[in-house]
């Protein structure tokens, strides 16, 4: 029932084979073996998605190419595995594990603060993309 065209870029031949097999019932998915840096297209897209890979892209490319490949109202969606909630006890448990198993780090490393710094770094990076220099904070969802 999905009719939208999807262009999936994957540099790994083995992962590409698995993706093709798993998506064979979706004829609108086109697979291309390439990196984002090497990929060239004359068309523009409504959405570009990068799941846990955006930070690996060459900075000179990732800060300009999305702006060129997205339509005027297009969206760049990037996902990472960072998790940050101040009210979650998992952070207390992680800090307790640092205290027990790596006491030298336990006093230096507050997991909540480390995650917040990483998230802020990624927000700043996204804002440095020409597409988003004045992007309101509410448009960047973490």
């Amino acid at each position: 029932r999905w009719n939208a065209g999807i262009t999936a870029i994957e540099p790994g031949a083995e992962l590409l084979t698995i993706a093709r097999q798993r998506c064979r019932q979706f004829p609108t998915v086109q697979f291309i073996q390439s990196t984002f840096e090497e990929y060239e297209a004359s068309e523009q897209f409504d959405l570009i998605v990068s799941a846990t890979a955006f930070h690996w892209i060459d900075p000179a490319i990732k800060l300009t190419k999305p702006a060129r490949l997205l339509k005027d109202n297009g969206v760049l969606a990037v996902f990472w595995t960072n998790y940050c909630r101040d009210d979650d006890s998992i952070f207390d448990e992680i800090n307790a594990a640092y205290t027990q198993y790596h006491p030298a780090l336990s006093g230096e490393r507050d997991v909540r603060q480390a995650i917040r710094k990483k998230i802020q770094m990624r927000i700043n990076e996204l804002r440095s993309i020409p597409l988003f220099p004045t992007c309101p904070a509410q448009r960047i969802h973490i």
Side-chain angles (χ1 to χ4, degrees), residues 82 114-127 142:
N82 294 337
I115 295 295
R116 280 190 205 105
K117 284 173 112 175
K118 194 176 204 181
I119 289 170
Q120 190 58 54
M121 181 182 73
R122 291 192 168 144
I123 289 171
N124 293 343
E125 180 181 49
L126 290 172
R127 285 203 173 122
I142 302 296

Side-chain angles (χ1 to χ4, degrees), residues 62-136:
K62 72 180 171 182
L63 301 179
T64 57
K65 198 167 196 175
R68 185 169 45 86
L69 290 177
L70 284 170
K71 293 179 182 176
D72 286 343
N73 290 315
V75 173
L76 172 64
V78 292
F79 301 87
W80 286 282
T81 55
N82 294 337
Y83 178 78
C84 188
R85 284 189 50 172
D86 286 340
D87 61 340
D88 201 318
S89 64
I90 188 69
F91 292 109
D92 297 325
E93 293 173 29
I94 292 170
N95 279 329
Y98 270 115
T99 300
Q100 182 176 354
Y101 298 107
H102 202 321
L105 269 183
S106 66
E108 303 173 7
R109 184 172 172 97
D110 175 350
V111 175
R112 286 182 181 94
Q113 188 59 30
I115 295 295
R116 280 190 205 105
K117 284 173 112 175
K118 194 176 204 181
I119 289 170
Q120 190 58 54
M121 181 182 73
R122 291 192 168 144
I123 289 171
N124 293 343
E125 180 181 49
L126 290 172
R127 285 203 173 122
S128 72
I129 296 172
L131 187 63
F132 301 116
T134 58
C135 183

Side-chain angles (χ1 to χ4, degrees), residues 30-57:
Q30 171 191 12
F31 292 96
I32 297 173
Q33 185 172 356
S34 178
T35 63
F36 183 71
E37 292 91 338
E38 294 170 349
Y39 175 72
E40 289 300 327
S42 56
E43 64 185 311
Q44 288 188 303
F45 299 90
D46 295 305
L47 172 67
I48 295 174
V49 177
S50 177
T52 69
F54 195 71
H55 61 283
W56 294 110
I57 299 171

